Amino acid sequence: MQGSVFYNLVFAAIVCVVCAIVVSSSAVALRERQVANQTLDMQRNVLVAAGLAAPDEALEPDEIEARFAPIQQVVIDRQTGAATDISPAGFDPRAAAADPDTSRAAPPNNAGLQRVADQALVYELRDDAGALDLVVLPVHGLGLWGILYGFVALDADLETIRGLTYYEHKETPGLGGEVDNPRWKSLWNGRRAFGPDGVPAIEVIKGLAGPPEDDPYRVDGLAGATMTSRGVTNMLRFWLAEQGFGPYLEALRTRRDG
């Protein structure tokens, strides 16, 4: 009897060790592929925000890489707006925001942000002469159930919105989850980010907005998702203002006009 119990324990231990080795080996072997897939997904979302890919367009990895190739990735200092010498390849925005050494407490805000990173990864598309064609900025903020992560693209005038897309959120499907709806995403192209005074004025309203040429600062609300709609407004106004990417946008304007 005792021998049988001992045998069962030894057999169970061996099975556990073997399973642990298999799982660990699989995780290590798949890590490189997971990182590659995450990179491709991020690049695709940048393309969608920039209007270089349709929200519902199916793209092969080679096509994503080809369309993304002209876009320059730059890690900037948010306080000064200047480019840093930090490599984009090794920069993790979320890790930077969570690390007290590379972040600071967020100023009072309506976007639900507690800490913001000192640096940020932005995306610039320039023509052959080096003139800016568009810039894509990462944005995130609180919705109804959690933080939404996405990108907003601005045209060369740094005023007109090219597009907005979200790549991660916890909003309710059919309600706040409609931030993924291609129809809603299409409403952003041509809207104006800033009012005449230079202050972020874009907002998601309750109900329907007019076309961009008649109603440039407003976008249709998400039916039944007031908190998500408000969250989109709050995060855009935070990140487009002085406490977000304001210094960077001002540096781009100075470079353009100088």
Side-chain angles (χ1 to χ4, degrees):
M1 181 66 177
Q2 291 182 345
S4 177
V5 172
F6 177 76
Y7 170 80
N8 289 337
L9 291 174
V10 171
F11 179 77
I14 292 174
V15 169
C16 290
V17 170
V18 171
C19 289
I21 293 174
V22 170
V23 171
S24 299
S25 299
S26 298
V28 172
L30 293 174
R31 176 59 180 167
E32 185 174 341
R33 181 179 299 178
Q34 291 172 343
V35 171
N37 288 338
Q38 290 172 354
T39 299
L40 283 171
D41 183 64
M42 197 69 67
Q43 291 176 347
R44 182 185 179 281
N45 278 282
V46 170
L47 293 174
V48 170
L52 302 176
D56 55 353
E57 185 177 4
L59 295 174
E60 295 296 326
D62 289 348
E63 181 63 22
I64 294 175
E65 292 176 353
R67 293 193 195 184
F68 188 83
I71 296 176
Q72 302 173 20
Q73 302 180 72
V74 184
V75 178
I76 62 163
D77 184 306
R78 283 196 320 98
Q79 301 300 309
T80 66
T84 71
D85 57 1
I86 298 174
S87 170
F91 183 73
D92 184 337
R94 296 198 197 182
D99 188 342
D101 293 332
T102 55
S103 67
R104 63 191 63 196
N109 65 88
N110 295 322
L113 302 174
Q114 302 300 315
R115 298 194 69 82
V116 290
D118 295 328
Q119 290 82 34
L121 177 61
V122 299
Y123 305 82
E124 300 176 355
L125 180 61
R126 297 180 178 275
D127 62 21
D128 293 339
L132 185 71
D133 180 56
L134 63 86
V135 61
V136 181
L137 308 173
V139 294
H140 65 278
L142 185 65
L144 176 59
W145 300 114
I147 299 294
L148 294 89
Y149 295 89
F151 297 104
V152 62
L154 299 177
D155 279 333
D157 62 4
L158 302 176
E159 300 278 344
T160 306
I161 295 175
R162 179 80 65 93
L164 174 72
T165 190
Y166 289 99
Y167 61 87
E168 183 181 331
H169 63 80
K170 300 177 182 178
E171 303 307 283
T172 307
L175 297 174
E178 287 295 286
V179 293
D180 293 328
N181 190 320
R183 188 202 70 81
W184 187 75
K185 291 180 181 181
S186 70
L187 300 174
W188 289 86
N189 186 26
R191 305 288 172 175
R192 304 285 289 180
F194 303 94
D197 57 0
V199 175
I202 188 69
E203 65 174 328
V204 180
I205 66 170
K206 186 175 183 179
L208 302 178
E213 57 271 19
D214 298 328
D215 202 358
Y217 305 113
R218 308 196 305 166
V219 178
D220 291 4
L222 299 163
T226 301
M227 293 299 294
T228 305
S229 298
R230 188 176 301 158
V232 173
T233 296
N234 290 337
M235 78 178 72
L236 289 177
R237 290 188 173 183
F238 177 90
W239 289 108
L240 292 172
E242 183 68 21
Q243 68 269 33
F245 290 105
Y248 169 64
L249 295 175
E250 185 57 34
L252 289 179
R253 293 186 188 101
T254 301
R255 178 177 174 182
R256 178 195 63 194
D257 300 337

